[in-house]
Amino acid sequence: MGDSASGLAIETSGLVKVFGETRAVDGVDLAVPAGTVYGVLGPNGAGKTTTVRMLATLLRPDGGEARVFGHDVLREADAVRGRVSLTGQYASVDEDLTGMENLVLLGRLLGHRKPAARLRAAQLLEAFGLADAAGKQVKNYSGGMRRRIDIAASILNTPDLLFLDEPTTGLDPRSRNQVWDIVRAVVSRGTTVLLTTQYLDEADQLASRIAVIDRGKVIAEGTKGELKASVGAGAVHLRLRDAAQRPEAERLLARVLEARIQLDPDPVALTARVGTRGDGRGAAEQASRALAELARSGITVDTFSLGQPSLDEVFLALTDRPAAHTTASTGSTTSTASTGSKEEVPA
């Protein structure tokens, strides 16, 4: 749907927003390909929502440049608004109206005649699994239903670019998976989605490229594979038999692997990132050598695994702190199999 000569839905250079003494966004550069899901991953206060609000023309940047499908967000704000839609972190529909009334009202405000607005509303309610709740007041909807009616409202007129700002915060796994299916269906119809999230598995599941943002800056950007490769060729996960041996195991592993060791919440677990060293040793060879050294030191390893770093480990390596709302207690993210049916979203 995009017509930017560069093939990009969003281009920003040095984007800045200041609130008093706080630089909420501090020189953000983004290049978002049209027709994809682009993830912006970071903790609360990282600058994600402020960036989205500037791109959606709701906030005026204090510095830098931003274009949406080639249109400058300041000089051509009306053209930008005609191409985008935004679903924020909180329900934006009227809780005292029914689902059908909300969508019909918004359809009328968008210029549809009443019969066309009712038809479009009925299509979306059916597609989003809300047809049975069409006559209920939104205040009686569950959290997952509210998020779905919010997204339905955002695509009454199919946008070229949909901003989803933490769309699944607070939802149960089933509702999150239903929202994920809706996002995939929207993108399959040609819409570009910019998704902000704190959930590592959400970015892993949906986004083709991810920007990691922290303290107002993009600190890494790339595909999931590129981000994982940037912090090491593999991640060694160990569980010891005796928690009292963990400090000694940490020191030994740091020396042998020449890597930073992560102490996991489990008191007998450790994780180390490893990569190909200058002496040519690969990740598997290094891990084997480390296990042998642990055994020689009398440290018993109950379980061991070597795998690709998770996005959680990537975030920890980049920011020196774990990301919020990870779904696994060991530092690895998990993804829940979808329990809802695939959504077919009318164009």
Side-chain angles (χ1 to χ4, degrees):
M1 288 187 181
D3 53 13
S4 171
S6 65
L8 297 175
I10 298 171
E11 303 169 81
T12 74
S13 176
L15 197 62
V16 172
K17 185 63 186 178
V18 179
F19 297 104
E21 299 297 317
T22 302
R23 292 177 73 86
V25 176
D26 191 11
V28 163
D29 298 332
L30 294 175
V32 178
T36 65
V37 179
Y38 190 93
V40 179
L41 175 66
N44 277 333
K48 305 185 302 297
T49 296
T50 301
T51 298
V52 165
R53 289 176 64 81
M54 286 190 285
L55 292 172
T57 75
L58 298 177
L59 282 177
R60 185 182 182 89
D62 293 318
E65 297 182 347
R67 293 182 175 274
V68 173
F69 294 110
H71 300 293
D72 186 275
V73 298
L74 285 177
R75 295 190 297 273
E76 302 171 278
D78 286 343
V80 172
R81 292 174 191 137
R83 308 288 296 271
V84 308
S85 189
L86 168 64
T87 295
Q89 296 178 26
Y90 306 103
S92 57
V93 292
D94 189 325
E95 293 196 343
D96 290 325
L97 298 181
T98 67
M100 174 64 81
E101 288 169 343
N102 266 289
L103 295 186
V104 170
L105 173 62
L106 291 169
R108 297 284 284 147
L109 291 172
L110 288 168
H112 295 290
R113 294 183 180 276
K114 191 169 184 178
R118 288 192 64 83
L119 176 61
R120 180 61 174 159
Q123 290 176 333
L124 289 169
L125 289 165
E126 180 67 32
F128 285 18
L130 295 171
D132 291 343
K136 294 181 180 179
Q137 290 178 298
V138 171
K139 65 184 177 183
N140 295 318
Y141 282 16
S142 68
M145 294 166 70
R146 289 174 186 234
R147 297 312 288 152
R148 281 183 276 156
I149 196 74
D150 255 359
I151 297 174
S154 297
I155 61 171
L156 274 161
N157 284 349
T158 305
D160 292 343
L161 172 62
L162 176 61
F163 295 106
L164 291 179
D165 191 15
E166 300 191 21
T168 64
T169 296
L171 297 187
D172 61 83
R174 178 182 175 85
S175 296
R176 290 180 69 206
N177 277 282
Q178 289 173 336
V179 171
W180 290 357
D181 286 341
I182 290 168
V183 173
R184 294 184 184 105
V186 167
V187 175
S188 73
R189 300 283 179 150
T191 294
T192 304
V193 172
L194 183 99
L195 169 77
T196 75
T197 184
Q198 299 181 63
Y199 293 115
L200 298 157
D201 58 332
E202 186 157 83
D204 215 348
Q205 284 278 328
L206 295 176
S208 55
R209 295 189 70 85
I210 299 169
V212 181
I213 188 169
D214 191 36
R215 298 179 178 91
K217 297 179 182 289
V218 174
I219 57 175
E221 196 276 345
T223 65
K224 292 169 284 189
E226 288 168 346
L227 291 177
K228 291 174 181 180
S230 72
V231 301
V236 178
H237 302 279
L238 300 170
R239 292 190 81 255
L240 309 177
R241 181 164 299 175
D242 185 355
Q245 293 184 322
R246 188 163 79 161
E248 178 60 25
E250 179 187 8
R251 288 190 292 270
L252 189 150
L253 289 171
R255 175 176 59 80
V256 172
L257 297 175
E258 297 179 8
R260 180 182 171 193
I261 310 304
Q262 176 185 336
L263 299 179
D264 297 334
D266 183 340
V268 296
L270 307 90
T271 298
R273 297 182 302 275
V274 293
T276 301
R277 292 174 19 156
D279 58 11
R281 288 198 183 102
E285 186 178 353
Q286 291 180 66
S288 297
R289 182 165 173 257
L291 284 174
E293 290 288 339
L294 288 169
R296 276 194 288 271
S297 298
I299 298 173
T300 303
V301 176
D302 270 351
T303 61
F304 159 81
S305 65
L306 174 64
Q308 191 179 40
S310 68
L311 279 180
D312 193 11
E313 289 153 358
V314 171
F315 196 88
L316 178 65
L318 293 171
T319 66
D320 200 33
R321 57 189 167 126
H325 299 298
T326 56
T327 57
S329 62
T330 61
S332 298
T333 57
T334 60
S335 53
T336 307
S338 176
T339 53
S341 59
K342 295 292 183 182
E343 306 287 346
E344 293 296 331
V345 179

